[in-house]
Amino acid sequence: MRFEVEKIRCRKEGFAAGRAKAIAEGKAEVKAEVALGMLEDNWSLELISKYTKLTVEQIIEIGRTHRLI
């Protein structure tokens, strides 16, 4: 009986960790999309960083990936 309870607890914790990871990845993807749009509209790197909370280096990487920088 105790083993079954422990197994259920582990599954729930694993689900919660997986869900948290998926949410974090989704947020990062949205930030990158916003930064990409701002780069296309010629916003400065500093302003993009301020509003997306991405580092200037991350923004440069996004810009290079999409051949905007």
Side-chain angles (χ1 to χ4, degrees), residues 1-13:
M1 178 74 163
R2 185 178 182 115
F3 175 73
E4 289 298 319
V5 171
E6 188 66 20
K7 196 164 87 172
I8 291 169
R9 184 185 64 77
C10 288
R11 262 193 239 137
K12 286 181 181 179
E13 288 176 1

Side-chain angles (χ1 to χ4, degrees), residues 8-67:
I8 291 169
R9 184 185 64 77
C10 288
R11 262 193 239 137
K12 286 181 181 179
E13 288 176 1
F15 175 77
R19 184 170 187 249
K21 181 180 176 186
I23 290 170
E25 288 172 356
K27 286 181 179 181
E29 187 175 316
V30 168
K31 284 183 178 186
E33 288 176 16
V34 170
L36 184 59
M38 295 169 90
L39 283 169
E40 289 172 345
D41 289 343
N42 296 315
W43 284 49
S44 73
L45 297 176
E46 291 78 16
L47 280 177
I48 297 171
S49 178
K50 176 181 177 181
Y51 291 110
T52 64
K53 306 299 186 219
L54 294 171
T55 65
V56 172
E57 291 79 19
Q58 290 171 313
I59 297 164
I60 291 171
E61 184 177 328
I62 292 166
R64 287 185 178 154
T65 301
H66 295 279
R67 297 185 176 146

